Amino acid sequence: MRIALVFSLLTALTQIGGVSYLAGRWLAHRGEITRRSTRLAVFLLLYASATIAASFTAPFFGRVPLSCFGDGSLQIQSPLYCALNRNFVTTEAKRAAEALSVAIDLEFPGTITLVLDANFPFLDGFPLLPHLSHDDGRKLDIAFYYRDEKGTPLNRAVRSPIGYFAFEEPAPGTQLPCAERDDLLTLRWNMGFLQGFFPAWMLDEARTGAALRWLALEGPEFGVERIFIEPHLAQRLGVVHPNVRFQGCRAARHDDHIHFQVTE
Ligand SMILES: [Zn+2]
């Protein structure tokens, strides 16, 4: 039971972690390793090797890793995303994200655009929880840009440690499509208890609006076909475009990041 639980958890979180865990157990059994710390080390070694191997083999299956060591205008928000194998996209999605970051850097010199969850390295249809749609390499989440309490633009900084869950609350009188609903089965978590822990930085409307506008207007040239953000933010940022849509009330909130998808 415990083995099944750990296997499922590691698979859901990292895709290849579950298999590495089983392989580690098998090796420990063969080698008659009983010490917990050694067994853990065996697993970590196997997992690290599998993670490195994934970045070389995934391109044969149509996905490339976004580099965790890049120092250009496009960077991954946390090394955690790479450590968990959540940084894989199609070459087209990578090209679109890079072009977006170059455009924002041109308009706001020195700005680094941060990437959050992408996709796992292998298997179409294998979702990257809790994002059910991130299952084919074509989806990518981009962090918002922020200003500090005094209004100074911040660089490479997000309000929560992983870039998610620090929600921009809607201003009174804006569009609230989920206000009347109380779904039991939903990934629309409000994380109210967390909100007080995040710094009170403000959304950088200029840069976030520019990114949203670029994805809507220039993005299609790079294959961008659908963008998700909460309607109240699209309204606040002044971007109206048929590609900018609402993800629905049962999907995760999109007032802490921008989601986009490219064509196949
Ligand atoms: Zn997404």
Side-chain angles (χ1 to χ4, degrees):
M1 183 65 192
R2 192 174 63 97
I3 298 172
L5 200 71
V6 175
F7 171 81
S8 311
L9 196 72
L10 287 172
T11 303
L13 206 62
T14 70
Q15 190 175 58
I16 56 181
V19 175
S20 308
Y21 170 68
L22 291 185
R25 281 190 66 90
W26 181 77
L27 272 181
H29 181 70
R30 296 269 302 188
E32 295 180 4
I33 301 168
T34 48
R35 261 178 69 174
R36 267 203 170 170
S37 54
T38 317
R39 289 168 75 113
L40 181 67
V42 168
F43 161 69
L44 289 176
L45 199 68
L46 278 174
Y47 178 67
S49 313
T51 298
I52 293 166
S55 62
F56 291 107
T57 47
F60 297 109
F61 300 91
R63 298 187 201 173
V64 290
L66 292 166
S67 170
C68 258
F69 306 103
D71 57 359
S73 56
L74 185 75
Q75 295 182 19
I76 296 186
Q77 188 266 331
S78 163
L80 199 67
Y81 291 112
C82 297
L84 300 178
N85 299 301
R86 302 170 78 98
N87 59 321
F88 289 82
V89 282
T90 59
T91 43
E92 191 156 41
K94 184 176 181 178
R95 218 164 57 91
E98 284 172 348
L100 164 71
S101 73
V102 168
I104 300 301
D105 182 34
L106 261 180
E107 199 174 338
F108 304 91
T111 296
I112 289 164
T113 294
L114 294 177
V115 167
L116 306 174
D117 260 335
N119 308 260
F120 284 134
F122 308 112
L123 298 174
D124 281 358
F126 190 111
L128 178 112
L129 293 175
H131 320 269
L132 295 178
S133 76
H134 287 225
D135 65 351
D136 54 8
R138 294 158 52 213
K139 323 288 166 46
L140 186 58
D141 289 349
I142 301 286
F144 288 166
Y145 308 85
Y146 292 95
R147 287 171 185 262
D148 68 12
E149 294 89 336
K150 292 187 191 120
T152 313
L154 294 162
N155 207 11
R156 220 200 179 292
V158 283
R159 286 179 59 216
S160 93
I162 55 164
Y164 289 105
F165 306 137
F167 302 115
E168 292 300 315
E169 294 305 333
T174 43
Q175 285 180 48
L176 298 175
C178 304
E180 303 300 318
R181 299 176 55 130
D182 196 11
D183 296 304
L184 281 178
L185 263 180
T186 181
L187 290 166
R188 193 181 171 84
W189 305 325
N190 290 322
M191 303 276 181
F193 62 100
L194 272 180
Q195 303 305 310
F197 291 102
F198 302 133
W201 298 339
M202 4 175 180
L203 180 71
D204 187 333
E205 294 186 3
R207 289 185 294 176
T208 310
L212 191 61
R213 216 164 296 118
W214 187 94
L215 285 167
L217 301 176
E218 316 291 329
E221 234 180 276
F222 295 85
V224 176
E225 59 177 8
R226 187 180 295 173
I227 305 146
F228 288 154
I229 193 166
E230 294 284 318
H232 73 86
L233 278 180
Q235 198 180 349
R236 178 171 155 194
L237 298 170
V239 182
V240 181
H241 189 277
N243 284 2
V244 178
R245 304 186 203 170
F246 175 51
Q247 73 282 354
C249 288
R250 285 194 164 172
R253 280 178 71 155
H254 282 70
D255 39 16
D256 55 346
H257 71 280
I258 303 173
H259 163 109
F260 76 85
Q261 110 173 24
V262 297
T263 46
E264 282 187 73

